[in-house]
Amino acid sequence: MKKILVSRFAVFQFVVLFLAFSTIKVGAQNIKDPDVVGRWDLTIDQNGKSRPSWLEVQKSGNHTLVGRFTADGGSARPISEVKIANGKYSFSIPPQWENSTKYLDFEFEVSGDAIKGTMVYVDGVTYNFTGVRAPALIRDKTPVWGKPISLFNGKDLTGWHADGKNQWIVENGLLTSPHSGSNIITDKTFNDFKLHVEFRYGKGANSGVYLRGRYELQIMDNNNGPVEPINNVFSAIYGVLPPNKMMSKGPGQWQTYDITLIGRLVTVVVNGHTVICNAVIPGITGGAIDSKEGEPGPIYFQCEEGPVDFRSVVITPAK
């Protein structure tokens, strides 16, 4: 009889614990995420000029919000905490490439899929910004590829334009930037595509291939850099996606990038080796032409520090 009572008591304890756990679990599922959680395509109005930016906010545990912010230059910067008070969100981040030690301070509100607020820059000036929830860019069907198109004819700059004073030249069949200067951009825009690029960079060079004009695939001389690839080196999607292996041949050598971009999913093959495979690009990188991620965009080559040469640029758009 005693054994039966103990057994029934054990069953009773199990049922109580099960019901308590289930209640906790259901309660956790019913907790709604704050409306700020997600990715946001921002535009900052700085002295009448539209500066593309990007914000990501996510939960860390049950109570803390963290995130990342990308300005119109530089890489994605970590946000240690996004705070909320009186219906407004705020965060501060240290300077990155700004010539200052002052922090950038943000305060903003979210209404549905829209966001608006202010940024106090390192110079103490307040700028307004607005934004929309970033599109998911999920494709329902496997793309059907069209015919390959050569974007560079080997003779002149037909089909390209510079975003400032042009230093790009065509010489001996090469598209060349002999020194630092303006970026060069295709006249045409593209949505999903496969892109083949052959390039060569000089010692100390820093360049990049921008996909849809918004996501930089880094070209740079970093042979003396870190042993483990990180997200701001050769063949990284700058600031957000590192390569899984460093496959650079080094300066002065001809190299290839074969890139497939479908929605946000990117695959990068470097000199015949896959270093990024079907990975999600979360948002724009510094240097993006705009933050309109749902729209087609151009291919453009950056020349932050030259020299850099290109000899073959072939794109295969999706139909």
Side-chain angles (χ1 to χ4, degrees):
M1 185 68 181
K2 185 177 180 181
K3 289 183 179 180
I4 295 174
L5 289 174
V6 170
S7 176
R8 288 176 178 175
F9 182 71
V11 171
F12 174 75
Q13 281 186 313
F14 174 78
V15 171
V16 169
L17 289 172
F18 176 79
L19 291 174
F21 175 77
S22 299
T23 303
I24 292 170
K25 188 175 180 182
V26 170
Q29 289 176 337
N30 289 335
I31 296 174
K32 185 179 179 182
D33 287 345
D35 54 2
V36 73
V37 169
R39 296 167 178 160
W40 301 88
D41 288 335
L42 309 181
T43 300
I44 299 177
D45 182 0
Q46 285 187 284
N47 300 321
K49 294 183 179 180
S50 296
R51 305 293 190 186
S53 299
W54 174 80
L55 173 66
E56 178 185 66
V57 178
Q58 54 185 279
K59 292 171 67 177
S60 177
N62 293 324
H63 309 292
T64 306
L65 296 174
V66 298
R68 291 184 288 180
F69 173 79
T70 300
D72 61 337
S75 61
R77 317 179 194 197
I79 303 170
S80 61
E81 184 177 6
V82 178
K83 300 177 181 180
I84 182 169
N86 301 319
K88 292 187 176 182
Y89 297 97
S90 64
F91 65 87
S92 295
I93 52 175
Q96 189 178 66
W97 300 107
E98 294 85 5
N99 186 22
S100 175
T101 58
K102 293 183 178 180
Y103 277 45
L104 289 76
D105 298 320
F106 293 79
E107 185 178 74
F108 56 94
E109 297 176 281
V110 172
S111 177
D113 291 333
I115 189 172
K116 66 177 181 179
T118 58
M119 174 189 71
V120 180
Y121 195 54
V122 295
D123 58 5
V125 178
T126 299
Y127 300 101
N128 295 320
F129 70 84
T130 57
V132 296
R133 197 174 293 277
L137 301 181
I138 296 172
R139 307 306 192 217
D140 296 328
K141 298 179 181 178
T142 301
V144 176
W145 301 109
K147 294 182 178 180
I149 302 168
S150 181
L151 296 178
F152 172 53
N153 63 19
K155 300 176 182 178
D156 55 38
L157 298 179
T158 298
W160 299 79
H161 63 275
D163 64 358
K165 184 179 180 181
N166 180 47
Q167 81 284 352
W168 293 84
I169 59 174
V170 177
E171 192 171 62
N172 299 322
L174 303 181
L175 176 60
T176 298
S177 180
H179 53 77
S180 305
S182 297
N183 306 315
I184 193 164
I185 306 170
T186 60
D187 296 338
K188 292 183 178 180
T189 59
F190 305 93
N191 204 339
D192 295 345
F193 56 79
K194 295 189 289 185
L195 180 66
H196 174 80
V197 180
E198 297 178 16
F199 60 93
R200 176 178 65 185
Y201 59 83
K203 187 172 179 60
N206 185 345
S207 179
V209 179
Y210 276 76
L211 313 176
R212 297 196 198 113
R214 301 182 186 103
Y215 316 118
E216 181 187 7
L217 177 58
Q218 182 78 67
I219 294 175
M220 70 180 301
D221 178 19
N222 58 255
N223 275 21
N224 295 323
V227 175
E228 293 185 4
I230 53 178
N231 61 17
N232 61 358
V233 296
F234 179 92
S235 72
I237 302 296
Y238 183 56
V240 291
L241 292 176
N244 60 30
K245 190 175 182 180
M246 183 50 60
M247 298 306 306
S248 170
K249 295 180 180 179
Q253 303 294 315
W254 283 105
Q255 311 194 54
T256 60
Y257 278 164
D258 287 284
I259 308 137
T260 302
L261 182 63
I262 303 171
R264 290 190 180 278
L265 298 179
V266 65
T267 295
V268 179
V269 179
V270 180
N271 299 322
H273 299 270
T274 302
V275 299
I276 297 175
C277 184
N278 220 32
V280 173
I281 301 177
I284 67 171
T285 62
I289 59 170
D290 59 41
S291 56
K292 301 175 183 178
E293 291 191 87
E295 298 183 4
I299 304 301
Y300 94 68
F301 298 147
Q302 182 193 56
C303 191
E304 190 170 337
E305 297 177 40
V308 62
D309 305 320
F310 297 88
R311 68 180 181 188
S312 179
V313 188
V314 179
I315 195 166
T316 303
K319 291 184 178 179

